[in-house]
Amino acid sequence: MSPAFLRRLWFPAVLGITDGILTALTLAAGHMLNSGDLLSFSLALRISSVSLLTSLFMFFTAEYARLRGELVHAAKQLNLSARGHLATTQLGKSILRESLLAAGISALSSFLGSLLPLGLGAVSTRAELSFALTLLALAVLGVALGHALYASPLLWAIGLLLMGGFLALAGMYLKVV
């Protein structure tokens, strides 16, 4: 795989990890903080599975539509008379494969992003620890992104923590799980 292709896969991985952690916070915050009950590993797996499925479908739809849109735009720029001609060529098959791969990476990243903090929290003896580990995962992701993007790791961590806190409040209020 070329370095350019690997760089394109960075986006679905980061999106998936962020989506997984935020989904975990939204769905499990009410259970972790309102009831004070310990989070079971079974519940952590179920939440992570939901995160995987939503990420898979959402990312595939968005990525495939984006890439097909680029083909449509290219066909218009080339004044091709046959509508959708480029989509039926090898380019069309290539964007389908690329979209499926990127969606798979996003889904797996979302599953792991959700399961890691919730799974660690499930083996703990305190419900609040699971919540804290999920927020810590967001902070670590923020620091990593800050370093990778030559930006402020602190600002990235704070930004992701604020998003996580907002979604946790929404999850506590909605009491989904």
Side-chain angles (χ1 to χ4, degrees), residues 99-169:
S99 297
L100 286 170
L101 176 63
I105 289 169
S106 177
L108 181 62
S109 299
S110 185
F111 179 79
L112 295 174
S114 181
L115 184 62
L116 181 66
L118 292 181
L120 288 173
V123 298
S124 73
T125 57
R126 297 187 48 118
E128 298 84 12
L129 184 59
S130 186
F131 179 73
L133 287 171
T134 308
L135 286 177
L136 179 64
L138 272 178
V140 168
L141 177 63
V143 169
L145 285 172
H147 282 294
L149 301 173
Y150 299 109
S152 170
L154 180 62
L155 287 179
W156 270 92
I158 290 171
L160 289 179
L161 282 172
L162 288 174
M163 280 193 295
F166 175 76
L167 287 175
L169 286 173

Side-chain angles (χ1 to χ4, degrees), residues 52-125:
L52 178 141
L53 290 173
T54 58
S55 182
L56 178 71
F57 296 128
M58 177 271 313
F59 195 87
F60 174 77
T61 303
E63 184 69 357
Y64 189 63
R66 182 184 71 82
L67 293 173
R68 282 288 295 245
E70 288 179 9
L71 282 182
V72 168
H73 179 71
K76 287 180 182 178
Q77 293 296 315
L78 294 170
N79 291 323
L80 296 177
S81 58
R83 187 168 184 222
H85 175 69
L86 284 180
T88 61
T89 65
Q90 282 301 110
L91 286 173
K93 293 174 186 162
S94 177
I95 66 162
L96 178 62
R97 282 190 305 271
E98 187 173 327
S99 297
L100 286 170
L101 176 63
I105 289 169
S106 177
L108 181 62
S109 299
S110 185
F111 179 79
L112 295 174
S114 181
L115 184 62
L116 181 66
L118 292 181
L120 288 173
V123 298
S124 73
T125 57

Side-chain angles (χ1 to χ4, degrees), residues 6-18:
L6 291 175
R7 278 193 303 276
R8 282 198 313 263
L9 296 181
W10 172 256
F11 177 72
V14 170
L15 181 81
I17 292 168
T18 306

